[in-house]
C-alpha cells in the first residue's frame, strides 16, 4: 500500500471542515502546500440540516470568547458569500432579513427581557413592536398568525440568514477549484479510519491511504468516536456528542413574510422562493439521524399555536440533523495534547454556521503555526 501525501488532511466536510479547507486553500502557497478532505457524508450530518439563522453580532468590543468568535465570523460572512458567488456562481442567499422575537408566555417574556438587556449592552439595534402596528406592517402575518397570547414582540433588524445546502455546495466547489482534493468514504470505511501516529498516515483497509503533515478532525458529532480510537489517553480532553434536531419545510407559492420569527428556541425561517422552515426539536438519542412522527407532531403543534395559516400549505419535507454538542457548550478548537500532528474543530452545537468563518480563520492559522486572530484558550480541547 503506498500512501499519497498532502500537507493538510481534514476529516469531515461539514460547514466546519469545508470552511477551514477553503480558508487554507485560498491563502496557500500552491508550490508548498496541498490539502485533502476525507468525508463520509454520514446520515444525520448537521450542516445540511441547519436553518442558517445568523443572529446579529455584538457591536461593541468584547472579551467574551464566544461573542468574539461570533463577531469575527459574522463580520466576514457577507464578504465570504460575495466571494463564493463570484468564484462559483452559487448564491448562498445570504440576506439581512431581520428577525422578530415573540414572547407567548410569562416565562418567554422574562427570557426576552433578559435578551433585550443583553442586546442593549452589546449595541445591537432592536425595537419593541406594538401588536397593532405589526398587524398593519405585516399583512400576511396579520391574517395568519395567532397573537392572542403574545405578550411582546421585539424586532431585531440585524438578523440574517443563508441557505446551508447552497453555502456548502459553494464552499465545496470553490475548494475544488482551488485544488483541494476530496476523498469520498462509505460509512464502513469511515468506521475503520485508522491513524498511524509514526507515519501520520490515515488508512481505512483499502489500498488507499493518506499521509499528511497535519491532520484536523472536523467530524461533527462523530469526532469523539475517532478520538477515542486514535488517542489512547484522552484524560481531560472534552468530548463531543450528538443532539438531534428535526425540521419541517412548508412550500407556499411566494414568500409570505420577510423576517425570521423566533419563539423561544423555535422559529420560522422564510426563504426567498416561498419555502418556510419550521424548527427545531432537541433530543439526545445517540447517533439516530432518522425523522420521527413525534417530532413532526410537535412542530405541527407549534405551527398551529403560532402561525396556523401555514397549515393551509403542504409540508414538502422533514429532516433531522445531529448537532455536535460539547459538555460546556463551547467548541473544541486546537491541538490534541501529546499528538503533534493532530488538531480538532468540533462541538459547535446550535451555532456551527454562524461560527464557521471565525473557526476557519483560527484553525488555518494554528495549522500553519501562526498566531490565531482570537485568544483560543477557552476552546482548547484539554480543559
Ligand atoms: C436542525 C438544525 C438546525 C440548526 N440551525 C442552525 C442555525 O440556524 N444556525 C447555526 O449557526 N447553526 C445551526 N445548526 C447547527 C449547525 O448546523 C452545526 O453546528 C454545524 O453544522 C456543525 O458542523 P460540523 O461541520 O461540525 O458537523 P457536520 O455538519 O455534522 O459535519 C461533519 C462531517 O464529518 C463527516 N464524518 C464524520 N465521521 C467521519 C469519518 N470517520 N470519516 C469521514 N468523515 C466523517 C460527516 O459525514 C459529516 O459530513 C443547526 C443544526 C441542526 C441539526
Amino acid at each position: 500500500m503506498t500512501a499519497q501525501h498532502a500537507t493538510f488532511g481534514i476529516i469531515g466536510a461539514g460547514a466546519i471542515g469545508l470552511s477551514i479547507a477553503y480558508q487554507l486553500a485560498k491563502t496557500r502557497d500552491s508550490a508548498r502546500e496541498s490539502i485533502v478532505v476525507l468525508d463520509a457524508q454520514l446520515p444525520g450530518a448537521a450542516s445540511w440540516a441547519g436553518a442558517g439563522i445568523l443572529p446579529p453580532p455584538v457591536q461593541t468590543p468584547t472579551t467574551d470568547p464566544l461573542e468574539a468568535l461570533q463577531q469575527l465570523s459574522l463580520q466576514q460572512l457577507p464578504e465570504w458569500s460575495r466571494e463564493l458567488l463570484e468564484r462559483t456562481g452559487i448564491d448562498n442567499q445570504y440576506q439581512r432579513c431581520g428577525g422578530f422575537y415573540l414572547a407567548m408566555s410569562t416565562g418567554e417574556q422574562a427570557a426576552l427581557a433578559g435578551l433585550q438587556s443583553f442586546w442593549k449592552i452589546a449595541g445591537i439595534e432592536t425595537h419593541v413592536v406594538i401588536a397593532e402596528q405589526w398587524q398593519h406592517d405585516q399583512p400576511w402575518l396579520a391574517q395568519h398568525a395567532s397573537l392572542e397570547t403574545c405578550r411582546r414582540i421585539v424586532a431585531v433588524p440585524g438578523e440574517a440568514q443563508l441557505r446551508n445546502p447552497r453555502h456548502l455546495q459553494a464552499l465545496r466547489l470553490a475548494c475544488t477549484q482551488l485544488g483541494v482534493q476530496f476523498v469520498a468514504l462509505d460509512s464502513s470505511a469511515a468506521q475503520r479510519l485508522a491513524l498511524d501516529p509514526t507515519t501520520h498516515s490515515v488508512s481505512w483497509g483499502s489500498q488507499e491511504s493518506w499521509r499528511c503533515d497535519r491532520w484536523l478532525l472536523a467530524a461533527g458529532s462523530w469526532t469523539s468516536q475517532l478520538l477515542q480510537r486514535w488517542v489512547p489517553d484522552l484524560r481531560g480532553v472534552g468530548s463531543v456528542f450528538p443532539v438531534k434536531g428535526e425540521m419541517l419545510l412548508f412550500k407556499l407559492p411566494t414568500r409570505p413574510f420577510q423576517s425570521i420569527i423566533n419563539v423561544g428556541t423555535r422559529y420560522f425561517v422564510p426563504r426567498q422562493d416561498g419555502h418556510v422552515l419550521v424548527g427545531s426539536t432537541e433530543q439526545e438519542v445517540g447517533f439516530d439521524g432518522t425523522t420521527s412522527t413525534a417530532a413532526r407532531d410537535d412542530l405541527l403543534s407549534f405551527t398551529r399555536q403560532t402561525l396556523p395559516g401555514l397549515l393551509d400549505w403542504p409540508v414538502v419535507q422533514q429532516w433531522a440533523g445531529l448537532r455536535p454538542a460539547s459538555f460546556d457548550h463551547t467548541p473544541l478548537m486546537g491541538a490534541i495534547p501529546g499528538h503533534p500532528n493532530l488538531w480538532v474543530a468540533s462541538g459547535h452545537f446550535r451555532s456551527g454556521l454562524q461560527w464557521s468563518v471565525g473557526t476557519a480563520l483560527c484553525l488555518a492559522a494554528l495549522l500553519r503555526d501562526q498566531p490565531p486572530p482570537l485568544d483560543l484558550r477557552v476552546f482548547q480541547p484539554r480543559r
Side-chain angles (χ1 to χ4, degrees), residues 24-35:
L24 285 170
K26 69 178 181 164
T27 52
R28 86 185 160 121
D29 172 351
S30 53
R32 291 193 315 114
E33 290 180 346
S34 52
I35 303 152

mmCIF file with all atom_site columns, all heavy atoms in Angstrom, residues 24-35:
data_model
loop_
_atom_site.group_PDB
_atom_site.id
_atom_site.type_symbol
_atom_site.label_atom_id
_atom_site.label_alt_id
_atom_site.label_comp_id
_atom_site.label_asym_id
_atom_site.label_entity_id
_atom_site.label_seq_id
_atom_site.pdbx_PDB_ins_code
_atom_site.Cartn_x
_atom_site.Cartn_y
_atom_site.Cartn_z
_atom_site.occupancy
_atom_site.B_iso_or_equiv
_atom_site.pdbx_formal_charge
_atom_site.auth_seq_id
_atom_site.auth_comp_id
_atom_site.auth_asym_id
_atom_site.auth_atom_id
_atom_site.pdbx_PDB_model_num
ATOM 1  N N   . LEU A 1 24 ? -7.740  27.634 4.098  1.00 0.00 ? 24 LEU A N   1
ATOM 2  C CA  . LEU A 1 24 ? -6.374  27.173 3.808  1.00 0.00 ? 24 LEU A CA  1
ATOM 3  C C   . LEU A 1 24 ? -6.085  27.285 2.312  1.00 0.00 ? 24 LEU A C   1
ATOM 4  O O   . LEU A 1 24 ? -5.021  27.733 1.898  1.00 0.00 ? 24 LEU A O   1
ATOM 5  C CB  . LEU A 1 24 ? -6.206  25.706 4.239  1.00 0.00 ? 24 LEU A CB  1
ATOM 6  C CG  . LEU A 1 24 ? -6.067  25.420 5.737  1.00 0.00 ? 24 LEU A CG  1
ATOM 7  C CD1 . LEU A 1 24 ? -6.151  23.920 6.001  1.00 0.00 ? 24 LEU A CD1 1
ATOM 8  C CD2 . LEU A 1 24 ? -4.732  25.971 6.273  1.00 0.00 ? 24 LEU A CD2 1
ATOM 9  N N   . ALA A 1 25 ? -7.085  26.889 1.499  1.00 0.00 ? 25 ALA A N   1
ATOM 10 C CA  . ALA A 1 25 ? -6.858  26.817 0.051  1.00 0.00 ? 25 ALA A CA  1
ATOM 11 C C   . ALA A 1 25 ? -6.667  28.200 -0.560 1.00 0.00 ? 25 ALA A C   1
ATOM 12 O O   . ALA A 1 25 ? -5.806  28.393 -1.412 1.00 0.00 ? 25 ALA A O   1
ATOM 13 C CB  . ALA A 1 25 ? -8.029  26.099 -0.618 1.00 0.00 ? 25 ALA A CB  1
ATOM 14 N N   . LYS A 1 26 ? -7.457  29.156 -0.109 1.00 0.00 ? 26 LYS A N   1
ATOM 15 C CA  . LYS A 1 26 ? -7.358  30.463 -0.775 1.00 0.00 ? 26 LYS A CA  1
ATOM 16 C C   . LYS A 1 26 ? -6.138  31.260 -0.309 1.00 0.00 ? 26 LYS A C   1
ATOM 17 O O   . LYS A 1 26 ? -5.808  32.260 -0.927 1.00 0.00 ? 26 LYS A O   1
ATOM 18 C CB  . LYS A 1 26 ? -8.657  31.261 -0.640 1.00 0.00 ? 26 LYS A CB  1
ATOM 19 C CG  . LYS A 1 26 ? -9.006  31.748 0.718  1.00 0.00 ? 26 LYS A CG  1
ATOM 20 C CD  . LYS A 1 26 ? -10.303 32.556 0.641  1.00 0.00 ? 26 LYS A CD  1
ATOM 21 C CE  . LYS A 1 26 ? -10.680 33.079 2.006  1.00 0.00 ? 26 LYS A CE  1
ATOM 22 N NZ  . LYS A 1 26 ? -11.648 34.121 1.980  1.00 0.00 ? 26 LYS A NZ  1
ATOM 23 N N   . THR A 1 27 ? -5.509  30.817 0.766  1.00 0.00 ? 27 THR A N   1
ATOM 24 C CA  . THR A 1 27 ? -4.327  31.541 1.246  1.00 0.00 ? 27 THR A CA  1
ATOM 25 C C   . THR A 1 27 ? -3.057  30.689 1.098  1.00 0.00 ? 27 THR A C   1
ATOM 26 O O   . THR A 1 27 ? -2.029  31.012 1.675  1.00 0.00 ? 27 THR A O   1
ATOM 27 C CB  . THR A 1 27 ? -4.512  31.910 2.735  1.00 0.00 ? 27 THR A CB  1
ATOM 28 O OG1 . THR A 1 27 ? -4.872  30.724 3.460  1.00 0.00 ? 27 THR A OG1 1
ATOM 29 C CG2 . THR A 1 27 ? -5.583  32.958 2.930  1.00 0.00 ? 27 THR A CG2 1
ATOM 30 N N   . ARG A 1 28 ? -3.145  29.573 0.366  1.00 0.00 ? 28 ARG A N   1
ATOM 31 C CA  . ARG A 1 28 ? -1.982  28.674 0.364  1.00 0.00 ? 28 ARG A CA  1
ATOM 32 C C   . ARG A 1 28 ? -0.952  29.069 -0.694 1.00 0.00 ? 28 ARG A C   1
ATOM 33 O O   . ARG A 1 28 ? -1.292  29.704 -1.702 1.00 0.00 ? 28 ARG A O   1
ATOM 34 C CB  . ARG A 1 28 ? -2.430  27.229 0.150  1.00 0.00 ? 28 ARG A CB  1
ATOM 35 C CG  . ARG A 1 28 ? -2.582  26.805 -1.290 1.00 0.00 ? 28 ARG A CG  1
ATOM 36 C CD  . ARG A 1 28 ? -3.144  25.414 -1.399 1.00 0.00 ? 28 ARG A CD  1
ATOM 37 N NE  . ARG A 1 28 ? -3.709  25.230 -2.705 1.00 0.00 ? 28 ARG A NE  1
ATOM 38 C CZ  . ARG A 1 28 ? -3.309  24.298 -3.564 1.00 0.00 ? 28 ARG A CZ  1
ATOM 39 N NH1 . ARG A 1 28 ? -2.379  23.438 -3.220 1.00 0.00 ? 28 ARG A NH1 1
ATOM 40 N NH2 . ARG A 1 28 ? -3.868  24.207 -4.748 1.00 0.00 ? 28 ARG A NH2 1
ATOM 41 N N   . ASP A 1 29 ? 0.261   28.646 -0.414 1.00 0.00 ? 29 ASP A N   1
ATOM 42 C CA  . ASP A 1 29 ? 1.327   28.716 -1.398 1.00 0.00 ? 29 ASP A CA  1
ATOM 43 C C   . ASP A 1 29 ? 1.257   27.371 -2.130 1.00 0.00 ? 29 ASP A C   1
ATOM 44 O O   . ASP A 1 29 ? 1.647   26.342 -1.585 1.00 0.00 ? 29 ASP A O   1
ATOM 45 C CB  . ASP A 1 29 ? 2.655   28.897 -0.636 1.00 0.00 ? 29 ASP A CB  1
ATOM 46 C CG  . ASP A 1 29 ? 3.854   28.775 -1.565 1.00 0.00 ? 29 ASP A CG  1
ATOM 47 O OD1 . ASP A 1 29 ? 3.658   28.392 -2.733 1.00 0.00 ? 29 ASP A OD1 1
ATOM 48 O OD2 . ASP A 1 29 ? 4.972   29.052 -1.101 1.00 0.00 ? 29 ASP A OD2 1
ATOM 49 N N   . SER A 1 30 ? 0.737   27.391 -3.372 1.00 0.00 ? 30 SER A N   1
ATOM 50 C CA  . SER A 1 30 ? 0.417   26.102 -4.007 1.00 0.00 ? 30 SER A CA  1
ATOM 51 C C   . SER A 1 30 ? 1.658   25.274 -4.336 1.00 0.00 ? 30 SER A C   1
ATOM 52 O O   . SER A 1 30 ? 1.576   24.081 -4.565 1.00 0.00 ? 30 SER A O   1
ATOM 53 C CB  . SER A 1 30 ? -0.447  26.311 -5.250 1.00 0.00 ? 30 SER A CB  1
ATOM 54 O OG  . SER A 1 30 ? 0.175   27.231 -6.087 1.00 0.00 ? 30 SER A OG  1
ATOM 55 N N   . ALA A 1 31 ? 2.822   25.916 -4.337 1.00 0.00 ? 31 ALA A N   1
ATOM 56 C CA  . ALA A 1 31 ? 4.031   25.123 -4.592 1.00 0.00 ? 31 ALA A CA  1
ATOM 57 C C   . ALA A 1 31 ? 4.424   24.321 -3.345 1.00 0.00 ? 31 ALA A C   1
ATOM 58 O O   . ALA A 1 31 ? 5.115   23.318 -3.430 1.00 0.00 ? 31 ALA A O   1
ATOM 59 C CB  . ALA A 1 31 ? 5.164   26.055 -4.992 1.00 0.00 ? 31 ALA A CB  1
ATOM 60 N N   . ARG A 1 32 ? 3.968   24.782 -2.185 1.00 0.00 ? 32 ARG A N   1
ATOM 61 C CA  . ARG A 1 32 ? 4.448   24.138 -0.948 1.00 0.00 ? 32 ARG A CA  1
ATOM 62 C C   . ARG A 1 32 ? 3.355   23.403 -0.186 1.00 0.00 ? 32 ARG A C   1
ATOM 63 O O   . ARG A 1 32 ? 3.647   22.504 0.601  1.00 0.00 ? 32 ARG A O   1
ATOM 64 C CB  . ARG A 1 32 ? 5.054   25.202 -0.013 1.00 0.00 ? 32 ARG A CB  1
ATOM 65 C CG  . ARG A 1 32 ? 6.369   25.795 -0.531 1.00 0.00 ? 32 ARG A CG  1
ATOM 66 C CD  . ARG A 1 32 ? 7.108   26.596 0.523  1.00 0.00 ? 32 ARG A CD  1
ATOM 67 N NE  . ARG A 1 32 ? 6.239   27.491 1.281  1.00 0.00 ? 32 ARG A NE  1
ATOM 68 C CZ  . ARG A 1 32 ? 5.977   27.372 2.575  1.00 0.00 ? 32 ARG A CZ  1
ATOM 69 N NH1 . ARG A 1 32 ? 6.508   26.407 3.280  1.00 0.00 ? 32 ARG A NH1 1
ATOM 70 N NH2 . ARG A 1 32 ? 5.178   28.233 3.177  1.00 0.00 ? 32 ARG A NH2 1
ATOM 71 N N   . GLU A 1 33 ? 2.103   23.803 -0.365 1.00 0.00 ? 33 GLU A N   1
ATOM 72 C CA  . GLU A 1 33 ? 1.040   23.224 0.474  1.00 0.00 ? 33 GLU A CA  1
ATOM 73 C C   . GLU A 1 33 ? -0.032  22.545 -0.374 1.00 0.00 ? 33 GLU A C   1
ATOM 74 O O   . GLU A 1 33 ? -0.429  23.052 -1.420 1.00 0.00 ? 33 GLU A O   1
ATOM 75 C CB  . GLU A 1 33 ? 0.364   24.333 1.297  1.00 0.00 ? 33 GLU A CB  1
ATOM 76 C CG  . GLU A 1 33 ? 1.223   24.912 2.386  1.00 0.00 ? 33 GLU A CG  1
ATOM 77 C CD  . GLU A 1 33 ? 0.495   26.013 3.173  1.00 0.00 ? 33 GLU A CD  1
ATOM 78 O OE1 . GLU A 1 33 ? -0.558  26.506 2.709  1.00 0.00 ? 33 GLU A OE1 1
ATOM 79 O OE2 . GLU A 1 33 ? 0.979   26.358 4.238  1.00 0.00 ? 33 GLU A OE2 1
ATOM 80 N N   . SER A 1 34 ? -0.534  21.418 0.138  1.00 0.00 ? 34 SER A N   1
ATOM 81 C CA  . SER A 1 34 ? -1.655  20.741 -0.526 1.00 0.00 ? 34 SER A CA  1
ATOM 82 C C   . SER A 1 34 ? -2.652  20.299 0.558  1.00 0.00 ? 34 SER A C   1
ATOM 83 O O   . SER A 1 34 ? -2.294  20.173 1.739  1.00 0.00 ? 34 SER A O   1
ATOM 84 C CB  . SER A 1 34 ? -1.156  19.543 -1.329 1.00 0.00 ? 34 SER A CB  1
ATOM 85 O OG  . SER A 1 34 ? -0.354  18.737 -0.492 1.00 0.00 ? 34 SER A OG  1
ATOM 86 N N   . ILE A 1 35 ? -3.889  20.096 0.130  1.00 0.00 ? 35 ILE A N   1
ATOM 87 C CA  . ILE A 1 35 ? -4.972  19.829 1.107  1.00 0.00 ? 35 ILE A CA  1
ATOM 88 C C   . ILE A 1 35 ? -5.823  18.673 0.603  1.00 0.00 ? 35 ILE A C   1
ATOM 89 O O   . ILE A 1 35 ? -6.206  18.645 -0.575 1.00 0.00 ? 35 ILE A O   1
ATOM 90 C CB  . ILE A 1 35 ? -5.868  21.085 1.259  1.00 0.00 ? 35 ILE A CB  1
ATOM 91 C CG1 . ILE A 1 35 ? -5.036  22.295 1.672  1.00 0.00 ? 35 ILE A CG1 1
ATOM 92 C CG2 . ILE A 1 35 ? -7.008  20.842 2.249  1.00 0.00 ? 35 ILE A CG2 1
ATOM 93 C CD1 . ILE A 1 35 ? -5.624  23.619 1.216  1.00 0.00 ? 35 ILE A CD1 1
#
